[in-house]
Structure formats: C-alpha cells, structure tokens
Amino acid sequence: MLVLVLLTLNVFTLFSQKALLCRAWLGNELEYIRIDTAEVFWEMPGYSPEQKKYLLIKDTLRLYDRYTTSRDNFSKRHITNYDFLICGLSDTAMVLRPINSPALKLTGNRNYIAYKERHLVKKALSGFEWIKFQSTTCRGDCPAQLLEITLDRKLKFIGGPHAFKKGGFYTAIIPDSLFLQLYEKLSLANLEKIKRWDQFVSDAPEYTIEVKYNNKTWHIDGFLLPTSMHELIDYLLKIASQVQLFESKEPFIISLGKAEE
C-alpha cells in the first residue's frame, strides 16, 4: 500500500512539474526556451534556434539529439544528452543549471540561466515616433510588403506578391485598441537587448524593422530574428488585414536605412 501511495505521489509530482514547465520562458538577456509536451525550442542570443526532444527525470530536464554520422557509415544511432538541473520552478520563474558538458556548451558556458515567464520580461518603449517594416517573398507564399506606422496612428502600406493587398499604395487609421497592442508588442520585443547574428538561409522571408524612439533610430534586418520579436513581427504582418485600407491617389515612398550611430 505504501509503495502504491509513493508511486502515485511521484506520478502526480511529475505531471505537476511538467504542467509548470510547459510554457515559453525568457531570460534577462533574451535567452529563450519554449517547452511543449514533446519538444523544446531553444535559443541563445546571437545564435540560431534549435529544436530538441526532451525527458523529465525527477528534477533534471534532459534535452537530447539522436543522429547518425558518416564516420561510421551511418550504421549506428548516436545520442547526445544535455542535462539541466531544474531549480526554483514556479509558474512565473525557473532556473536551469547545466550539469554535463554538452549542456554547458549549449548555454555558452554559463553556470545557470534564470528565466521568467515570457510575458513578464518586457520594457516599455518611451518617445515612440514611428515604426517601419519590410518583408520579402520566399519560394512559397510569404507576403512582400512595406509599411510605416506613426505616432498619430496613421498607417502607410505598400503591398507586393502574396500581400493582403497586392500592388498599389494604401493608407489607414489604426483604432486605439489595435494601436495599444503595438506598444505592448514593442515592449515585449526588448529592442535594446536584441543581438543579430550572421545568417545563411536559402529559403525564408527577410525582415527589416526600424523604430524611431527617444530621438534615435533602431534597426535590424535578417531572415531569423530573435524569438522575442516574433509577436511584433506577427502583428506587423497582419495589421493591414485588420484595418480599413484606402487606396492612395498619389504614390508615396517609405525609405529604410540603417541605425544611427
């Protein structure tokens, strides 16, 4: 009977732990981890994201890769384990400590990473003036578009292939509630902490974002932008379909440059 009770408690503890773990987490330097029921999406600042399978072994989170290699003519299946000790887990925070060498390498030789629930890591953006956004096509149906949103809630939109509006020049006034969402997405992006890295991508849309705030221009471009920006990018990709667009009788230019030094 005692064995059955202990087994039940262990199973309950494991399910409770997994319920707390299964969400998106962000560190102070935008280290990102999203834990789903079967996979982990892992990203360190300045590096391309990775996806790995995982196991929960008591208080250890084990990420792992299974692979074959040409060194043995693909005849054997190899496994690399990345073991992390889970510390201080709650629904709003956790700490991961690497406890083997592959895990330590995955963290960039950090002894620990302190995470918070993703939506708790944000910084309000002050002095906002405008945001400009450009996306390109890919080999699929990625929308090509160029837009600008200014402080007075005005939207300028130029649509290319696969965009919500193809061709032409359009304007709109963004409703207050939708405009406030932009501020929220900008705060969640944590612009001043974002790092870009060299990328070699064969088929993906390229994004360019510029934001004018506090009398300076912030700029980033790339195929794979940090995960903390994904909600902002999703907002910008969809904004034209969520407002009433009016075709402009006169063409206009939305120019993109580089960040001010």
Side-chain angles (χ1 to χ4, degrees):
M1 182 65 179
L2 179 58
V3 173
L4 180 60
V5 171
L6 291 174
L7 181 60
T8 302
L9 287 173
N10 286 337
V11 171
F12 177 77
T13 300
L14 182 63
F15 275 99
S16 299
Q17 186 183 47
K18 190 164 186 176
L20 288 174
L21 280 171
C22 285
R23 64 195 67 204
W25 304 89
L26 203 62
N28 287 331
E29 298 303 319
L30 306 189
E31 308 94 335
Y32 179 88
I33 183 171
R34 188 185 74 239
I35 303 173
D36 296 332
T37 55
E39 289 187 325
V40 164
F41 183 95
W42 175 277
E43 182 179 283
M44 293 295 290
Y47 294 90
S48 297
E50 301 181 51
Q51 281 183 271
K52 299 185 183 298
K53 300 290 186 180
Y54 77 95
L55 296 171
L56 276 178
I57 307 170
K58 295 185 178 180
D59 56 359
T60 298
L61 174 65
R62 170 170 289 175
L63 315 185
Y64 63 89
D65 291 324
R66 291 178 177 171
Y67 58 95
T68 57
T69 174
S70 59
R71 286 178 295 182
D72 52 26
N73 201 29
F74 306 102
S75 61
K76 297 180 181 179
R77 184 176 293 275
H78 301 270
I79 298 178
T80 300
N81 294 325
Y82 309 82
D83 291 343
F84 294 89
L85 185 65
I86 305 168
C87 306
L89 177 63
S90 70
D91 60 347
T92 59
M94 75 166 175
V95 174
L96 292 182
R97 296 184 182 274
I99 54 176
N100 69 355
S101 56
L104 187 63
K105 183 178 180 180
L106 196 62
T107 65
N109 293 317
R110 303 185 191 191
N111 292 325
Y112 69 92
I113 301 177
Y115 292 98
K116 293 182 181 178
E117 195 278 329
R118 186 269 173 274
H119 292 93
L120 297 178
V121 183
K122 58 184 177 180
K123 183 177 180 180
L125 197 72
S126 60
F128 173 80
E129 295 183 38
W130 50 255
I131 182 170
K132 298 176 183 179
F133 173 70
Q134 183 178 42
S135 63
T136 67
T137 58
C138 58
R139 293 176 185 173
D141 57 0
C142 309
Q145 58 188 53
L146 177 61
L147 63 83
E148 177 185 53
I149 300 172
T150 53
L151 180 61
D152 54 3
R153 298 187 291 112
K154 291 181 179 179
L155 167 69
K156 291 181 178 179
F157 179 84
I158 304 172
H162 307 298
F164 174 70
K165 287 285 189 179
K166 302 175 185 178
F169 300 81
Y170 300 88
T171 62
I173 298 296
I174 300 175
D176 286 337
S177 59
L178 199 55
F179 190 71
L180 288 175
Q181 289 181 34
L182 174 60
Y183 272 85
E184 176 68 10
K185 308 304 182 187
L186 283 167
S187 69
L188 288 170
N190 292 273
L191 299 184
E192 294 183 357
K193 294 182 178 181
I194 287 174
K195 298 177 182 178
R196 190 190 181 281
W197 64 93
D198 291 333
Q199 301 173 11
F200 302 95
V201 180
S202 60
D203 181 27
E206 184 175 16
Y207 299 124
T208 302
I209 297 178
E210 287 185 6
V211 186
K212 182 70 177 291
Y213 68 102
N214 284 342
N215 297 315
K216 62 182 180 182
T217 301
W218 182 91
H219 175 107
I220 194 171
D221 56 75
F223 298 93
L224 298 172
L225 297 186
T227 303
S228 66
M229 299 191 69
H230 285 189
E231 289 167 278
L232 174 62
I233 293 170
D234 187 62
Y235 175 96
L236 295 169
L237 285 170
K238 295 177 179 177
I239 185 65
S241 65
Q242 297 175 330
V243 298
Q244 185 176 4
L245 293 175
F246 297 93
E247 189 165 7
S248 175
K249 296 179 180 179
E250 298 292 334
F252 48 77
I253 296 175
I254 301 174
S255 59
L256 293 163
K258 292 291 183 181
E260 296 175 0
E261 299 295 336

